[in-house]
Amino acid sequence: MLTVGDKLPAFDLKAVVSTDPKTAFTDISDRSNGGKWRVIFFWPKDFTFVCPTEIAAFGKLNGDFADRDAVIYGVSTDSEFVHLAWRQNHPDLKALPFAMLADIKRELSSAFGILDKQEGVALRATFIVDPEGVIRFVSVNDLSVGRNPQEVLRVLDALQTDELCPCNWQKGDAVLKPAA
């Protein structure tokens, strides 16, 4: 599995950005949104129970991430057509403000090293990638446990200070200063 300090792997995937079939599809690559922070989170399968709770929670925080010059990409091993159908049919996903990437060939999931060995789907993995394409945060949950997007935002805030941030640090709190 890729970890902190590794480079974002090259990728070029189809993505869904709306519920309108005429404008829903676009291409997203590792070069998209260059110069921005990227939050890339994976979920196992569309049309499941835990996944939409996380996806909707990231969607509600999209403006907060954008305020920090970060773009969110959600990824699963489902096709772009499955993503579109899910967005069209799930009330919490209809107005989703970020792209859902289709890793149907499992290329990106494999490159990150986050395919579940038993199920063959992406684990609940989250990566924060800095503007230079370096992974700065990694978190992976069991398939049955949803993650906390608010914590991902907190870590992004801490990384962007480029300072020493103590346990439970929140944006605006004092940072640690090493002894001189």
Side-chain angles (χ1 to χ4, degrees):
M1 184 175 84
L2 295 183
T3 191
V4 172
D6 290 334
K7 290 292 277 182
L8 175 66
F11 67 91
D12 193 358
L13 298 174
K14 293 287 181 200
V16 175
V17 294
S18 75
T19 57
D20 180 355
K22 294 178 188 142
T23 59
F25 304 111
T26 191
D27 294 316
I28 302 282
S29 78
D30 56 295
R31 297 166 310 284
S32 301
N33 293 294
K36 290 187 177 283
W37 289 81
R38 287 170 275 187
V39 175
I40 304 170
F41 76 99
F42 293 81
W43 65 88
K45 296 178 186 176
D46 292 5
F47 291 98
T48 57
F49 303 102
V50 176
C51 298
T53 65
E54 298 178 301
I55 297 166
F58 271 109
K60 288 177 184 166
L61 292 176
N62 189 70
D64 295 308
F65 282 101
D67 288 346
R68 289 150 175 89
D69 205 28
V71 63
I72 299 172
Y73 297 142
V75 187
S76 86
T77 56
D78 291 292
S79 76
E80 66 272 26
F81 303 107
V82 175
H83 286 337
L84 176 61
W86 198 25
R87 284 181 74 145
Q88 289 172 329
N89 290 288
H90 196 293
D92 293 339
L93 304 180
K94 286 185 184 221
L96 197 63
F98 58 81
M100 297 172 83
L101 283 63
D103 188 22
I104 190 76
K105 295 182 192 174
R106 293 162 168 69
E107 293 168 339
L108 188 57
S109 301
S110 294
F112 271 107
I114 51 95
L115 278 177
D116 182 84
K117 292 176 180 139
Q118 302 297 132
E119 300 293 324
V121 297
L123 294 169
R124 290 186 196 288
T126 309
F127 298 85
I128 297 176
V129 181
D130 73 16
E132 287 75 44
V134 176
I135 297 169
R136 302 284 302 277
F137 169 84
V138 177
S139 175
V140 182
N141 291 15
D142 186 85
L143 293 177
S144 64
V145 179
R147 74 203 102 196
N148 182 343
Q150 193 70 49
E151 172 64 4
V152 177
L153 185 63
R154 185 194 75 81
V155 171
L156 176 63
D157 284 336
L159 288 169
Q160 289 183 340
T161 70
D162 206 25
E163 299 283 346
L164 299 174
C165 298
C167 176
N168 297 323
W169 178 91
Q170 296 289 322
K171 188 173 184 171
D173 288 354
V175 295
L176 300 173
K177 298 293 180 191

